[in-house]
Amino acid sequence: MSQIPPPPPPPHHLQAAVAPYNINLASSSTCMIREPRKGNWTMQETLTLITAKKIDDERRKSTSTSSNSKPVELKWKWVENYCWAHGCFRSQNQCNDKWDNLLRDYKKIRDYHHYLTTTTTTTTTTTTTTTTTTTTPHDHYFSLDRQERKERKLPSNMPQEIYQALNDIVVQPRYITKLPTLPSSPPPPHVSPPVQSDSSGTKSSEKKQDEFVEVSSDIDKRNSKLRKIGSSIIEGASVLAHTLNSAEEKKQKRHEEIMQLENRRLEIEEARNEVNHIGISNLIGAMTNLSGAIKSLITTTCYDKT
């Protein structure tokens, strides 16, 4: 059995120590039986997983020619070994699932920030087009509370440290996903200055100006339509969130009513048992008194006969 090589160094030495350390998967899988930890991931476990994934990507880049034929399981086995060597006791399946969830939440937040920074207001005149970018810092993801994140269909508990660590990895070319962008507006036609001495040149200039006004009108209509669609989406999301909250409140109210009925039933049951107990006690006392009276009667009768 080959000896397990030392684990990779801490995260602050990543760039200098990716190549020298390669965990032996065959020996590590046979040297011990692992029992992975269950439950929610801690902050330290998540950062360890992100570090392991970053080192593994660098490692596989340096050995891409020899690792093309290896199955995917070996890659996540390497990540699992790294995590176990650094106190994160999770299986390769748990690491894979957690990484997929992290990327999904990261992309939602990234797209939301992209939407905030690309909100534009276009003002068009007959001679010039002005574009102004407006941002709203109070709408930044990390400035929102849990309820506001839920209303915007965003992850509710992504710490900023985790997001930044993911951003350092995802900015690599293999993770970059092209975001959808609005089609660029066609440039306005150049309006040449009219020549007063030539009537044909004047007509051509007026025609170009009319075409420019028509194109500007089309741009205004398209931007107005896009704004209406965006407001409709936001309004629909608000209505959906309100409906979900209302349904949750009704569900809680029904639960409270059921609990009240159950408590009432228990009280009635206890009262009935107490009545039965008192009745039985009274019956036993009456029978005892009756037997005593009969005994006294028999004793008196015998005494009279003697």
PDB file of all heavy atoms in Angstrom, residues 206-221:
ATOM      1  N   GLU A 206     -34.234  67.175 -45.687  1.00  0.00           N
ATOM      2  CA  GLU A 206     -35.508  67.051 -44.976  1.00  0.00           C
ATOM      3  C   GLU A 206     -35.942  65.593 -44.877  1.00  0.00           C
ATOM      4  O   GLU A 206     -36.487  65.160 -43.848  1.00  0.00           O
ATOM      5  CB  GLU A 206     -36.578  67.878 -45.694  1.00  0.00           C
ATOM      6  CG  GLU A 206     -36.337  69.381 -45.605  1.00  0.00           C
ATOM      7  CD  GLU A 206     -37.369  70.162 -46.408  1.00  0.00           C
ATOM      8  OE1 GLU A 206     -38.164  69.510 -47.130  1.00  0.00           O
ATOM      9  OE2 GLU A 206     -37.389  71.409 -46.303  1.00  0.00           O
ATOM     10  N   LYS A 207     -35.704  64.828 -45.910  1.00  0.00           N
ATOM     11  CA  LYS A 207     -36.063  63.412 -45.887  1.00  0.00           C
ATOM     12  C   LYS A 207     -35.268  62.670 -44.832  1.00  0.00           C
ATOM     13  O   LYS A 207     -35.794  61.825 -44.090  1.00  0.00           O
ATOM     14  CB  LYS A 207     -35.820  62.809 -47.264  1.00  0.00           C
ATOM     15  CG  LYS A 207     -36.239  61.344 -47.362  1.00  0.00           C
ATOM     16  CD  LYS A 207     -36.033  60.814 -48.773  1.00  0.00           C
ATOM     17  CE  LYS A 207     -36.452  59.348 -48.856  1.00  0.00           C
ATOM     18  NZ  LYS A 207     -36.243  58.804 -50.212  1.00  0.00           N
ATOM     19  N   LYS A 208     -33.969  62.970 -44.730  1.00  0.00           N
ATOM     20  CA  LYS A 208     -33.130  62.320 -43.715  1.00  0.00           C
ATOM     21  C   LYS A 208     -33.579  62.702 -42.304  1.00  0.00           C
ATOM     22  O   LYS A 208     -33.566  61.883 -41.389  1.00  0.00           O
ATOM     23  CB  LYS A 208     -31.661  62.702 -43.928  1.00  0.00           C
ATOM     24  CG  LYS A 208     -31.067  62.070 -45.178  1.00  0.00           C
ATOM     25  CD  LYS A 208     -29.597  62.432 -45.310  1.00  0.00           C
ATOM     26  CE  LYS A 208     -28.995  61.776 -46.548  1.00  0.00           C
ATOM     27  NZ  LYS A 208     -27.559  62.105 -46.712  1.00  0.00           N
ATOM     28  N   GLN A 209     -33.974  63.976 -42.129  1.00  0.00           N
ATOM     29  CA  GLN A 209     -34.463  64.391 -40.820  1.00  0.00           C
ATOM     30  C   GLN A 209     -35.744  63.637 -40.445  1.00  0.00           C
ATOM     31  O   GLN A 209     -35.933  63.238 -39.292  1.00  0.00           O
ATOM     32  CB  GLN A 209     -34.703  65.909 -40.804  1.00  0.00           C
ATOM     33  CG  GLN A 209     -33.421  66.732 -40.845  1.00  0.00           C
ATOM     34  CD  GLN A 209     -33.705  68.229 -40.842  1.00  0.00           C
ATOM     35  OE1 GLN A 209     -34.860  68.642 -40.877  1.00  0.00           O
ATOM     36  NE2 GLN A 209     -32.644  69.022 -40.818  1.00  0.00           N
ATOM     37  N   ASP A 210     -36.623  63.459 -41.418  1.00  0.00           N
ATOM     38  CA  ASP A 210     -37.854  62.694 -41.158  1.00  0.00           C
ATOM     39  C   ASP A 210     -37.533  61.254 -40.770  1.00  0.00           C
ATOM     40  O   ASP A 210     -38.157  60.668 -39.863  1.00  0.00           O
ATOM     41  CB  ASP A 210     -38.757  62.720 -42.395  1.00  0.00           C
ATOM     42  CG  ASP A 210     -39.302  64.119 -42.683  1.00  0.00           C
ATOM     43  OD1 ASP A 210     -39.322  64.937 -41.734  1.00  0.00           O
ATOM     44  OD2 ASP A 210     -39.695  64.381 -43.835  1.00  0.00           O
ATOM     45  N   GLU A 211     -36.565  60.652 -41.485  1.00  0.00           N
ATOM     46  CA  GLU A 211     -36.165  59.284 -41.146  1.00  0.00           C
ATOM     47  C   GLU A 211     -35.587  59.217 -39.739  1.00  0.00           C
ATOM     48  O   GLU A 211     -35.836  58.267 -38.975  1.00  0.00           O
ATOM     49  CB  GLU A 211     -35.135  58.784 -42.163  1.00  0.00           C
ATOM     50  CG  GLU A 211     -35.705  58.571 -43.549  1.00  0.00           C
ATOM     51  CD  GLU A 211     -34.633  58.154 -44.536  1.00  0.00           C
ATOM     52  OE1 GLU A 211     -33.440  58.144 -44.135  1.00  0.00           O
ATOM     53  OE2 GLU A 211     -34.979  57.821 -45.690  1.00  0.00           O
ATOM     54  N   PHE A 212     -34.793  60.235 -39.356  1.00  0.00           N
ATOM     55  CA  PHE A 212     -34.209  60.269 -38.010  1.00  0.00           C
ATOM     56  C   PHE A 212     -35.303  60.357 -36.939  1.00  0.00           C
ATOM     57  O   PHE A 212     -35.252  59.661 -35.918  1.00  0.00           O
ATOM     58  CB  PHE A 212     -33.256  61.464 -37.907  1.00  0.00           C
ATOM     59  CG  PHE A 212     -32.690  61.667 -36.540  1.00  0.00           C
ATOM     60  CD1 PHE A 212     -31.633  60.890 -36.098  1.00  0.00           C
ATOM     61  CD2 PHE A 212     -33.236  62.619 -35.673  1.00  0.00           C
ATOM     62  CE1 PHE A 212     -31.113  61.067 -34.834  1.00  0.00           C
ATOM     63  CE2 PHE A 212     -32.719  62.786 -34.407  1.00  0.00           C
ATOM     64  CZ  PHE A 212     -31.655  62.010 -33.992  1.00  0.00           C
ATOM     65  N   VAL A 213     -36.295  61.200 -37.173  1.00  0.00           N
ATOM     66  CA  VAL A 213     -37.402  61.340 -36.214  1.00  0.00           C
ATOM     67  C   VAL A 213     -38.173  60.025 -36.107  1.00  0.00           C
ATOM     68  O   VAL A 213     -38.568  59.604 -35.012  1.00  0.00           O
ATOM     69  CB  VAL A 213     -38.332  62.493 -36.640  1.00  0.00           C
ATOM     70  CG1 VAL A 213     -39.591  62.518 -35.766  1.00  0.00           C
ATOM     71  CG2 VAL A 213     -37.609  63.839 -36.555  1.00  0.00           C
ATOM     72  N   GLU A 214     -38.357  59.336 -37.223  1.00  0.00           N
ATOM     73  CA  GLU A 214     -39.079  58.059 -37.211  1.00  0.00           C
ATOM     74  C   GLU A 214     -38.303  56.998 -36.424  1.00  0.00           C
ATOM     75  O   GLU A 214     -38.879  56.251 -35.617  1.00  0.00           O
ATOM     76  CB  GLU A 214     -39.313  57.598 -38.648  1.00  0.00           C
ATOM     77  CG  GLU A 214     -40.140  56.317 -38.741  1.00  0.00           C
ATOM     78  CD  GLU A 214     -40.397  55.912 -40.178  1.00  0.00           C
ATOM     79  OE1 GLU A 214     -39.993  56.672 -41.078  1.00  0.00           O
ATOM     80  OE2 GLU A 214     -40.994  54.849 -40.389  1.00  0.00           O
ATOM     81  N   VAL A 215     -36.983  56.928 -36.657  1.00  0.00           N
ATOM     82  CA  VAL A 215     -36.155  55.974 -35.919  1.00  0.00           C
ATOM     83  C   VAL A 215     -36.170  56.286 -34.427  1.00  0.00           C
ATOM     84  O   VAL A 215     -36.269  55.398 -33.578  1.00  0.00           O
ATOM     85  CB  VAL A 215     -34.711  55.985 -36.470  1.00  0.00           C
ATOM     86  CG1 VAL A 215     -33.791  55.167 -35.555  1.00  0.00           C
ATOM     87  CG2 VAL A 215     -34.672  55.417 -37.875  1.00  0.00           C
ATOM     88  N   SER A 216     -36.080  57.565 -34.068  1.00  0.00           N
ATOM     89  CA  SER A 216     -36.119  57.951 -32.656  1.00  0.00           C
ATOM     90  C   SER A 216     -37.443  57.568 -32.023  1.00  0.00           C
ATOM     91  O   SER A 216     -37.502  57.114 -30.873  1.00  0.00           O
ATOM     92  CB  SER A 216     -35.887  59.459 -32.525  1.00  0.00           C
ATOM     93  OG  SER A 216     -34.637  59.828 -33.062  1.00  0.00           O
ATOM     94  N   SER A 217     -38.528  57.721 -32.778  1.00  0.00           N
ATOM     95  CA  SER A 217     -39.837  57.333 -32.249  1.00  0.00           C
ATOM     96  C   SER A 217     -39.909  55.829 -32.008  1.00  0.00           C
ATOM     97  O   SER A 217     -40.460  55.378 -30.996  1.00  0.00           O
ATOM     98  CB  SER A 217     -40.927  57.776 -33.234  1.00  0.00           C
ATOM     99  OG  SER A 217     -42.200  57.357 -32.787  1.00  0.00           O
ATOM    100  N   ASP A 218     -39.342  55.057 -32.934  1.00  0.00           N
ATOM    101  CA  ASP A 218     -39.332  53.598 -32.750  1.00  0.00           C
ATOM    102  C   ASP A 218     -38.523  53.211 -31.508  1.00  0.00           C
ATOM    103  O   ASP A 218     -38.910  52.298 -30.758  1.00  0.00           O
ATOM    104  CB  ASP A 218     -38.742  52.920 -33.987  1.00  0.00           C
ATOM    105  CG  ASP A 218     -39.651  53.069 -35.209  1.00  0.00           C
ATOM    106  OD1 ASP A 218     -40.855  53.318 -34.998  1.00  0.00           O
ATOM    107  OD2 ASP A 218     -39.147  52.927 -36.340  1.00  0.00           O
ATOM    108  N   ILE A 219     -37.407  53.898 -31.299  1.00  0.00           N
ATOM    109  CA  ILE A 219     -36.586  53.604 -30.116  1.00  0.00           C
ATOM    110  C   ILE A 219     -37.358  53.913 -28.844  1.00  0.00           C
ATOM    111  O   ILE A 219     -37.345  53.149 -27.871  1.00  0.00           O
ATOM    112  CB  ILE A 219     -35.269  54.408 -30.170  1.00  0.00           C
ATOM    113  CG1 ILE A 219     -34.403  53.922 -31.334  1.00  0.00           C
ATOM    114  CG2 ILE A 219     -34.498  54.269 -28.859  1.00  0.00           C
ATOM    115  CD1 ILE A 219     -33.158  54.744 -31.559  1.00  0.00           C
ATOM    116  N   ASP A 220     -38.072  55.062 -28.831  1.00  0.00           N
ATOM    117  CA  ASP A 220     -38.860  55.429 -27.653  1.00  0.00           C
ATOM    118  C   ASP A 220     -39.951  54.394 -27.383  1.00  0.00           C
ATOM    119  O   ASP A 220     -40.203  54.016 -26.236  1.00  0.00           O
ATOM    120  CB  ASP A 220     -39.489  56.809 -27.837  1.00  0.00           C
ATOM    121  CG  ASP A 220     -38.447  57.920 -27.812  1.00  0.00           C
ATOM    122  OD1 ASP A 220     -37.353  57.674 -27.257  1.00  0.00           O
ATOM    123  OD2 ASP A 220     -38.718  59.010 -28.350  1.00  0.00           O
ATOM    124  N   LYS A 221     -40.610  53.924 -28.436  1.00  0.00           N
ATOM    125  CA  LYS A 221     -41.670  52.925 -28.260  1.00  0.00           C
ATOM    126  C   LYS A 221     -41.104  51.625 -27.696  1.00  0.00           C
ATOM    127  O   LYS A 221     -41.698  50.996 -26.814  1.00  0.00           O
ATOM    128  CB  LYS A 221     -42.356  52.659 -29.600  1.00  0.00           C
ATOM    129  CG  LYS A 221     -43.204  53.828 -30.087  1.00  0.00           C
ATOM    130  CD  LYS A 221     -43.855  53.500 -31.432  1.00  0.00           C
ATOM    131  CE  LYS A 221     -44.702  54.668 -31.938  1.00  0.00           C
ATOM    132  NZ  LYS A 221     -45.312  54.362 -33.258  1.00  0.00           N
TER     133      LYS A 221
END
